[in-house]
Amino acid sequence: MFSISVNDATLSLGRAAQKRQVLKGVNLQVQRGSLHMLLGPNGCGKSTLLRVLGGLLQLDGGGVEADAPSGFVFQNPDHQVVMPTVAADVAFGLGRYRLREAQVAAAVERALTLVNMAEFTHRATHTLSGGQRQRPTRRRFLRALAEEPRVLLLDELTTFLDVEDQFGVLRAVRDVTRTGARGRGVTAVWVTHRFEELEYADAASYMEDGRIVFTGSPDQLRQRLRGMGATL
Amino acid sequence: MPAGNPKAAASGKKQQEKLPLQQRILNGILNVSNVPYSSFVPYPVTPLHRVDAQIKQLWLVALYILIARATPWLRVGIAGCVAALTMLTLPPRLWEAQLKRLSLICGLIFVFTAIGADGVPPLLQARALPNAAEGLPGLSPAAPYSYVILNLWVITITRRSVNLAVTAAALTFCALQSASLCLVTTPGEEMATALQRWLAPLRLLRVPTQRIGVTLLLSLRFMSLVFEEVRNLCLGLAARGVDWRAQGGRGSIEIFARLLVRLFANLFSRSENIAQAMVVRGFLGPEQHHLYMMRVNASSPLANAAALAALAGLAAAVASLR
């Protein structure tokens, strides 16, 4: 039924004197096996909500129920790099499992070959150029999939991509939600600013000032946005 | 600018001379390669790439001890060997600039130590001779020995100060260059694994060796982040085209201080990002998380044996020449 259920979630961020309420009673239900998009103006709390779903932030009030495990992909590829060399970094996510070194090496080689980065396997991560760092974006969520997550949390994944790559990634995520890594449906929550990406969504929510003010089909959201004066 | 045009070259040099000091510092930082000092270089694969990381770490520790116990000339010899090894094994693009800078630093250490170590009279000096010096026969006036090597105006260089200067310069050179040589030919992950292996017996005493290994890895990752952030901030500052002359000394200090504050803020933010990335990528703590190190070059038994034999030879040489 629902893969994610958020009930009256509240959260304030910042130090005591400058504490600001970022989530002001969020309610959200996401169907299992769907691609759910989260839209809204800058600073409305989209990414914060995603971080709550990923377990990176603890709520002040309300509750969250979500399928586990989840895979999180950040907006900036630089922010996801943990290890000093490329191969070890790709393998980092598999560290929670006990696998044979040969298995891990094969998986890493496969993943890097898919993005034409096999020759960079042993390069230091910080020596990659901007373009080389962005190349794995298409695969970053697949790398997350290698760990068989039930929920994918994707924070403006296409920000640094050109149009062709942007829609390629969208199609891949949609396929994953339908078929999953092993035929099991995966739920994806996709935070975006781009209205044209709605075409790929199964459902969408619109956030404003720390609240979800609308949830419905992509067509319903488009109508609402047109009503607000957006040209779509 | 045409390379062969001396007039243009002269005018370019003049323009460079006119640049304010602040701008020259900024240019200096921006002109440094965007690859940090001593980061791992996978290609070309040299014999040093084939030596096991544990043996390299053994070499590092042994070098510090051997230099401390060697004679001054042997110290210079060891430093020369480290420099020669660097030049023989790595391509020139990796060592030329690095060796020049390091030689300059060590040269300065040598000069200042030689001048300062014995040139300034100590404020407190024992007036009586130590007991061990009592009753020794005096040196004959014809003996060539002289404690003071050079005494020129306020500069006094003695045998003791030269000895100290050689030790300080050679130790600094060997410490930095051998560590660099090690890091250039070994990925950070292998260094961390090797350290964990050395520390393994301490697990019996409940020393968190896994945690130490992970901390070392994160430090290596952080080194490159610091370098990257400094470059990015300097690039941002250069792009703004600050008129340093108009800023004056106080204004420039203020700008650099703000840059420093921003640097720390950015580094804290990047650290937080990495910590979050670790959490979302399934990191459950150093004890539970298995780090797959993805070995780059399988170590060669021949290279390992040669490295160990060379270390034994050096130790024997130091012991016999003391």
Side-chain angles (χ1 to χ4, degrees):
Chain A
M1 181 63 169
F2 293 126
S3 176
I4 295 169
S5 181
V6 183
N7 298 304
D8 209 19
T10 56
L11 174 69
S12 298
L13 294 175
R15 286 187 194 136
Q18 301 153 333
K19 217 158 194 176
R20 193 172 69 89
Q21 198 170 16
V22 186
L23 300 182
K24 301 174 180 175
V26 172
N27 288 293
L28 174 72
Q29 272 80 38
V30 179
Q31 289 281 347
R32 189 164 288 132
S34 68
L35 168 52
H36 194 105
M37 288 202 179
L38 205 53
L39 290 94
N42 277 335
C44 70
K46 302 184 297 288
S47 293
T48 307
L49 178 58
L50 208 65
R51 276 159 201 263
V52 167
L53 296 177
L56 292 173
L57 295 170
Q58 297 300 312
L59 288 174
D60 295 336
V64 174
E65 284 175 29
D67 289 345
S70 64
F72 199 116
V73 184
F74 290 99
Q75 176 184 8
N76 190 335
D78 273 1
H79 294 173
Q80 202 132 348
V81 177
V82 176
M83 302 294 274
T85 53
V86 174
D89 185 64
V90 174
F92 181 83
L94 299 169
R96 70 176 97 163
Y97 307 111
R98 290 277 163 184
L99 301 169
R100 280 184 289 118
E101 291 278 344
Q103 267 180 296
V104 178
V108 168
E109 195 186 335
R110 239 186 349 261
L112 288 169
T113 307
L114 278 166
V115 285
N116 298 323
M117 285 188 69
E119 75 263 38
F120 300 109
T121 306
H122 299 302
R123 275 268 293 270
T125 42
H126 59 269
T127 61
L128 298 177
S129 70
Q132 286 161 352
R133 284 184 206 192
Q134 282 162 33
R135 232 190 283 177
T137 303
R138 188 190 281 265
R139 305 302 302 178
R140 271 189 290 145
F141 78 94
L142 290 178
R143 178 170 63 189
L145 273 183
E147 295 152 36
E148 296 189 31
R150 306 285 305 278
V151 175
L152 271 175
L153 305 166
L154 311 160
D155 192 2
E156 300 190 43
L157 189 58
T158 54
T159 302
F160 295 108
L161 298 179
D162 57 31
V163 177
E164 193 188 329
D165 274 349
Q166 176 191 340
F167 289 113
V169 168
L170 266 165
R171 274 192 293 273
V173 173
R174 192 185 56 186
D175 291 348
V176 162
T177 58
R178 304 229 162 121
T179 59
R182 290 191 180 175
R184 188 180 61 184
V186 172
T187 308
V189 179
W190 178 287
V191 167
T192 184
H193 273 114
R194 295 174 169 173
F195 297 142
E196 68 270 22
E197 291 180 352
L198 273 172
E199 192 187 328
Y200 293 84
D202 296 311
S205 295
Y206 191 79
M207 270 190 93
E208 244 176 29
D209 192 27
R211 288 184 187 88
I212 289 191
V213 294
F214 174 84
T215 297
S217 70
D219 281 338
Q220 287 170 326
L221 181 57
R222 275 196 204 96
Q223 272 179 8
R224 186 186 166 91
L225 291 169
R226 278 191 204 104
M228 290 163 68
T231 42
L232 298 169
Chain B
M1 187 172 69
N5 186 347
K7 218 172 183 178
S11 94
K13 199 178 173 188
K14 213 170 179 181
Q15 213 172 13
Q16 179 70 23
E17 278 167 7
K18 278 180 194 169
L19 284 176
L21 176 70
Q22 301 92 319
Q23 188 64 47
R24 272 183 278 156
I25 294 172
L26 209 57
N27 290 350
I29 296 171
L30 291 173
N31 284 335
V32 174
S33 153
N34 62 352
V35 178
Y37 180 73
S38 306
S39 62
F40 173 62
V41 180
Y43 301 107
V45 178
T46 67
L48 283 181
H49 283 77
R50 299 278 183 201
V51 177
D52 190 84
Q54 261 187 294
I55 296 176
K56 286 179 195 166
Q57 287 174 349
L58 184 68
W59 254 99
L60 286 181
V61 176
L63 264 185
Y64 302 140
I65 297 167
L66 291 176
I67 282 204
R69 298 183 70 85
T71 59
W73 288 113
L74 201 55
R75 283 171 192 152
V76 176
I78 293 172
C81 286
V82 171
L85 189 67
T86 308
M87 289 190 276
L88 286 172
T89 49
L90 301 180
R93 69 183 166 84
L94 290 178
W95 59 258
E96 268 175 357
Q98 189 178 320
L99 274 190
K100 270 183 206 163
R101 280 192 208 112
L102 192 55
S103 303
L104 179 72
I105 292 169
C106 293
L108 289 174
I109 289 173
F110 178 84
V111 171
F112 287 119
T113 314
I115 293 171
D118 226 6
V120 184
L123 291 173
L124 290 170
Q125 193 169 28
R127 287 175 183 272
L129 278 173
N131 290 339
E134 293 283 353
L136 288 173
L139 284 170
S140 76
Y145 178 83
S146 164
Y147 178 68
V148 177
I149 296 170
L150 177 78
N151 196 351
L152 191 71
W153 190 41
V154 291
I155 298 169
T156 306
I157 296 174
T158 63
R159 285 178 187 272
R160 182 172 158 263
S161 68
V162 168
N163 191 358
L164 198 64
V166 167
T167 308
L171 198 60
T172 308
F173 185 89
C174 286
L176 293 177
Q177 191 53 33
S178 58
S180 163
L181 205 54
C182 200
L183 289 171
V184 166
T185 55
T186 323
E189 291 84 352
E190 281 181 25
M191 290 295 278
T193 314
L195 183 72
Q196 278 182 28
R197 272 192 233 131
W198 281 119
L199 298 176
L202 295 177
R203 272 189 221 150
L204 297 171
L205 302 171
R206 296 194 176 179
V207 174
T209 54
Q210 289 275 97
R211 190 180 291 268
I212 293 170
V214 173
T215 308
L216 173 71
L217 267 179
L218 291 176
S219 319
L220 289 171
R221 166 89 181 106
F222 203 71
M223 264 167 62
S224 64
L225 276 186
V226 174
F227 194 82
E228 204 176 302
E229 281 301 330
V230 169
R231 264 183 71 86
N232 286 345
L233 287 174
C234 289
L235 205 60
L237 196 62
R240 280 175 173 82
V242 177
D243 184 352
W244 294 107
R245 284 195 183 87
Q247 291 295 329
R250 197 176 162 177
S252 304
I253 290 170
E254 264 177 37
I255 289 175
F256 279 114
R258 272 185 218 153
L259 211 65
L260 202 66
V261 171
R262 186 69 198 273
L263 174 69
F264 276 98
N266 288 1
L267 287 175
F268 280 123
S269 162
R270 294 290 291 268
S271 311
E272 196 181 334
N273 288 332
I274 291 182
Q276 288 186 344
M278 287 171 76
V279 171
V280 297
R281 292 180 67 189
F283 186 74
L284 302 165
E287 311 300 333
Q288 290 81 23
H289 197 91
H290 188 77
L291 288 174
Y292 295 106
M293 296 305 184
M294 307 303 300
R295 201 170 178 81
V296 179
N297 299 304
S299 69
S300 135
L302 189 69
N304 290 342
L308 286 173
L311 184 59
L314 182 67
V318 170
S320 64
L321 291 172
R322 277 191 76 208

